[in-house]
Amino acid sequence: MIMRYKTKGFVLKKEDYLDDSRIFSVFTKDFGKVDLLGRAIRKINSKLRGGIGLFSLSDIEFIQGRLKKTLTDAVFLENFKNISRRSHSSIVACKISEVADSFIKGQEQDEKILDLLLDVFLKLDKSFEESKSNLIYQYFFWNFVSILGYNPELINCINCQKKLNPYELYFSSSEGGVICKNCYALKREGIKIKSDSLKVLRLILRRDWDILSKIKISETLKNSLVNLTENYYLYLCSVLKSNFKNV
Ligand SMILES: [Zn+2]
């Protein structure tokens, strides 16, 4: 007997497969991340093509074959069509789906991840300014890694637990948070950060978009945030790679 599965999912990636098919990497509500084969979906008369696409949320139905899961039905719930109209939001959408696709290992289901993806894609869909789109990426990244268990300590020094001096702040990716001047001097590991970056990061982790969207982010602050995010991203890439090896 063929088992049919119904769920809703967000499409992180699509790749052409054979002559007329496509494989979608979908983060689903009930089965975590799954690869679904859209058989003959690139044919003009395909029933499926009107219900699923890159960066869309769809109601989906699939069957489990011996090797692959095959899509049998798809209906759009949200397709965020404004994103592809603006290059800055398209670039951020690609970055978000790349990070999500590479950091989510497999079939762990987590509604918080799906909610976050919808939250950031709705924001991107309405984002007219490049600076806002970039901030949406930071908002996604830090909240996403927090859901995965890598939430940074931002209140006290993560090493000695002392109160932080706002003029001498460092972020240590390997320690997983902000460290004080003394701990930095001992370890020589971390990057100097501005107190404004720390404030923005705290607002991001509180998901206070009302305030975040009103902040005027200077070029210096933007560069500092980008540097900090990139630093933690590269560190987590190396951690997750070594976790994969140990499985
Ligand atoms: Zn310390």
Side-chain angles (χ1 to χ4, degrees), residues 50-62:
I52 190 166
L54 187 61
F55 312 142
S56 73
L57 177 75
S58 299
D59 264 333
I60 49 177
E61 195 182 272
F62 65 90

Side-chain angles (χ1 to χ4, degrees), residues 157 159-162 179-180 183:
C157 168
N159 198 46
C160 68
Q161 277 79 48
K162 287 199 179 124
I179 54 171
C180 68
C183 291

Side-chain angles (χ1 to χ4, degrees), residues 88-89 92 124 127 129-138:
H88 58 82
S89 29
V92 169
L124 263 187
S127 163
E129 297 160 46
E130 190 171 352
S131 62
K132 286 286 170 297
S133 293
N134 291 331
L135 190 60
I136 292 168
Y137 173 69
Q138 317 277 346

Side-chain angles (χ1 to χ4, degrees), residues 58-120:
S58 299
D59 264 333
I60 49 177
E61 195 182 272
F62 65 90
I63 50 172
Q64 174 71 62
R66 203 164 55 83
L67 297 172
K68 286 188 165 54
K69 295 177 175 63
T70 303
L71 200 60
T72 49
D73 196 17
V75 178
F76 277 130
L77 295 174
E78 291 276 359
N79 60 2
F80 310 107
K81 52 179 184 291
N82 292 324
I83 292 179
S84 59
R85 293 182 183 142
R86 295 182 293 262
S87 65
H88 58 82
S89 29
S90 302
I91 291 167
V92 169
C94 289
K95 266 169 81 178
I96 290 174
S97 67
E98 189 66 46
V99 171
D101 192 55
S102 59
F103 279 17
I104 299 168
K105 283 180 226 121
Q107 305 203 343
E108 69 267 58
Q109 57 195 81
D110 197 328
E111 220 161 315
K112 282 188 204 155
I113 294 178
L114 192 59
D115 288 346
L116 178 65
L117 284 167
L118 296 183
D119 180 14
V120 293

